[in-house]
Amino acid sequence: MILRQLFDHESSTFTYLVADEATNRAALIDPVAAQVDRDLKLISELGLTLVMVLDTHVHADHVTGAGELRSRTGAKTAASALGAPCVDVKLNAGDVIAIGGLELKVLATPGHTDDSLSFLLEGHVFTGDALLVRGTGRTDFQNGDARTLFDSITRVLFGLPAETVVLPGHDYKGFSSTTIAEEQAHNPRIAGKSAEEFVSLMQSLALAPPKKLDTAVPANRACGQALPTV
Amino acid sequence: MILRQLFDHESSTFTYLVADEATNRAALIDPVAAQVDRDLKLISELGLTLVMVLDTHVHADHVTGAGELRSRTGAKTAASALGAPCVDVKLNAGDVIAIGGLELKVLATPGHTDDSLSFLLEGHVFTGDALLVRGTGRTDFQNGDARTLFDSITRVLFGLPAETVVLPGHDYKGFSSTTIAEEQAHNPRIAGKSAEEFVSLMQSLALAPPKKLDTAVPANRACGQALPTV
């Protein structure tokens, strides 16, 4: 498997390129609109064919590159059935997506948003904004819910094998990956905490709204491209 | 092998944590002084013992964490015999450093600076500022020399197996890794270029000096810590 972690400095977003070396078929997870040229150039240089663009959820802090990638390459877009109505493939928990010979399994991990998914692929889990390295996504908008996020992390993600590599949707401190075992032991919001303690902690954060909330969410429900005028 | 890529946003520097899982002995490559607390916390959480701190060269754009890591952990510091006189282990091309059961091989890759080394470890090469993803280090200070860098990249690094994973010392565009084969084919400064074309290109860059050149170089020759007053 080819796996590349890419970063957008403006929004601190990780995008992942994954590909099956046997067939050269590739997918992008959580692409950023401003980085589409970079990402397509890399895909071309590696001799890959982009067949699928997956978003872990409707983002509030950057605009997805999904729609532009679809229009420029013919790749299908995919996200939760609860999220962006624009996508070609509406994903549900338990779905398995083929990327050439690779099998990507869809996990429902709501709580940061109600449509948040994680993707399990060959011992790696792409957790979007549910589980970050030594952190979690926030839960105070887009139908976020701290109790739900606690359950997603502790029941769904922490149910994966301990050595599973966690690849998050964002990082702000210079980390690039972690493992399930590490977060079980050392995530300061979750390790040793009850659901009630986590809910109380998340309620106490009093974060400012994301700068792009009002524009990014409607844009992303349209796969990052303008909705047709009706 | 445990391998973690860490990033310092201020200087766009990658630090690498590598460790032998059988013995839990670890090394840091190119640590940044401002991130020493983060790095030591991670090492502690992973249950590792830091035994060696390696610098690929005397940096001009950030201050190394080597000296502070040595004083806080007892780890040995290592770098080129041509570079920082402060280090415990003066490295030469061909040296093999044991990190528990891992063997790290030292390659001389001068040109960005005269003391630049690369480190080969289990199919990965840590190239410092010699070879970057789709780029190279600059060659206009610290005894840098474009012709020498061309030879280091094309003869030493491109002599490694094509699938070797290249882990650079910096990135500014959101890339995290590449391979020898990719850079042979797609590095815009090197692929298909003669030594003369590369030298001409590097001479034409007219870059501003690194912001920290005057302070970082003497600090790094002292392993990032103040030289004793005499």
Side-chain angles (χ1 to χ4, degrees):
Chain A
M1 180 172 75
I2 292 169
L3 169 59
R4 288 292 167 85
Q5 185 177 55
L6 301 157
F7 193 66
D8 175 63
H9 286 276
E10 190 198 345
S11 61
S12 298
T13 301
F14 285 125
T15 295
Y16 298 95
L17 173 65
V18 295
D20 171 32
E21 288 179 282
T23 62
N24 290 326
R25 292 170 78 84
L28 280 168
I29 297 171
D30 286 337
V32 174
Q35 303 289 356
V36 163
D37 286 342
R38 176 197 67 186
D39 298 349
L40 286 178
K41 185 162 190 239
L42 177 61
I43 288 168
S44 168
E45 289 176 348
L46 293 174
L48 303 174
T49 302
L50 186 69
V51 296
M52 186 75 70
V53 182
L54 300 114
D55 272 302
T56 52
H57 63 292
V58 172
H59 306 280
D61 47 6
H62 68 271
V63 174
T64 178
E68 184 178 346
L69 288 160
R70 172 171 58 185
S71 64
R72 288 173 64 175
T73 69
K76 301 290 186 193
T77 61
S80 168
L82 300 174
C86 58
V87 296
D88 303 302
V89 183
K90 291 185 167 59
L91 301 172
N92 291 288
D95 288 351
V96 176
I97 302 294
I99 304 161
L102 300 176
E103 292 195 340
L104 180 147
K105 184 175 176 188
V106 177
L107 309 175
T109 51
H112 167 62
T113 64
D114 57 358
D115 71 322
S116 287
L117 303 175
S118 293
F119 303 126
L120 186 62
L121 179 68
E122 305 269 327
H124 299 77
V125 63
F126 302 88
T127 54
D129 295 5
L131 181 61
L132 308 178
V133 183
R134 307 297 190 268
T136 70
R138 57 196 290 177
T139 55
D140 56 338
F141 57 81
Q142 280 183 275
N143 301 320
D145 182 81
R147 174 70 202 224
T148 303
L149 182 58
F150 186 85
D151 288 347
S152 290
I153 293 172
T154 58
R155 297 184 186 179
V156 179
L157 295 172
F158 287 178
L160 297 172
E163 67 276 13
T164 305
V165 175
V166 174
L167 294 168
H170 292 286
D171 186 83
Y172 307 93
K173 296 177 183 170
F175 295 113
S176 56
S177 68
T178 180
T179 65
I180 291 296
E182 252 179 84
E183 296 309 312
Q184 285 178 307
H186 302 297
N187 189 301
R189 292 188 178 177
I190 297 281
K193 297 278 198 302
S194 68
E196 291 68 29
E197 288 170 317
F198 180 73
V199 170
S200 173
L201 172 69
M202 296 306 286
Q203 286 173 341
S204 72
L205 292 178
L207 299 167
K211 286 181 211 160
K212 296 191 175 179
L213 180 62
D214 292 341
T215 53
V217 170
N220 288 330
R221 287 181 52 83
C223 291
Q225 297 187 304
L227 288 166
T229 310
V230 285
Chain B
M1 179 173 77
I2 291 170
L3 168 60
R4 288 292 167 86
Q5 185 177 56
L6 300 156
F7 193 67
D8 175 63
H9 285 277
E10 190 197 345
S11 60
S12 298
T13 301
F14 285 124
T15 295
Y16 297 94
L17 173 66
V18 295
D20 171 31
E21 288 178 282
T23 62
N24 289 326
R25 293 170 78 84
L28 280 169
I29 298 171
D30 287 337
V32 174
Q35 303 289 355
V36 162
D37 286 342
R38 176 197 66 186
D39 298 349
L40 286 178
K41 186 162 189 237
L42 177 61
I43 288 166
S44 168
E45 289 176 347
L46 293 174
L48 303 174
T49 302
L50 186 69
V51 296
M52 185 75 71
V53 182
L54 301 115
D55 272 304
T56 52
H57 63 291
V58 172
H59 306 280
D61 48 6
H62 69 271
V63 175
T64 178
E68 184 178 346
L69 287 160
R70 172 171 58 186
S71 64
R72 289 174 65 175
T73 69
K76 302 290 186 192
T77 61
S80 167
L82 300 174
C86 57
V87 297
D88 303 302
V89 182
K90 291 185 167 59
L91 301 173
N92 292 288
D95 287 350
V96 176
I97 303 294
I99 303 160
L102 301 176
E103 292 196 338
L104 179 148
K105 184 175 176 188
V106 177
L107 309 176
T109 51
H112 168 62
T113 64
D114 57 357
D115 71 323
S116 287
L117 303 175
S118 293
F119 303 126
L120 187 61
L121 180 67
E122 304 271 328
H124 299 76
V125 63
F126 302 88
T127 54
D129 296 4
L131 181 62
L132 308 179
V133 183
R134 308 297 190 269
T136 71
R138 57 196 290 177
T139 56
D140 56 337
F141 57 80
Q142 280 183 277
N143 303 319
D145 181 82
R147 175 70 203 224
T148 304
L149 182 58
F150 186 85
D151 289 347
S152 290
I153 294 172
T154 59
R155 296 183 186 179
V156 179
L157 295 173
F158 287 178
L160 297 173
E163 66 277 14
T164 306
V165 175
V166 174
L167 293 168
H170 292 286
D171 186 83
Y172 307 93
K173 296 177 184 171
F175 295 112
S176 56
S177 68
T178 180
T179 65
I180 291 296
E182 253 178 85
E183 296 309 312
Q184 285 178 307
H186 301 297
N187 189 301
R189 291 187 179 177
I190 297 281
K193 296 279 198 302
S194 67
E196 291 67 30
E197 287 171 319
F198 180 73
V199 170
S200 174
L201 171 68
M202 296 307 286
Q203 286 173 340
S204 72
L205 292 178
L207 300 167
K211 287 180 209 159
K212 296 191 176 180
L213 179 62
D214 293 341
T215 52
V217 170
N220 288 329
R221 287 180 54 82
C223 291
Q225 297 187 303
L227 289 166
T229 309
V230 287

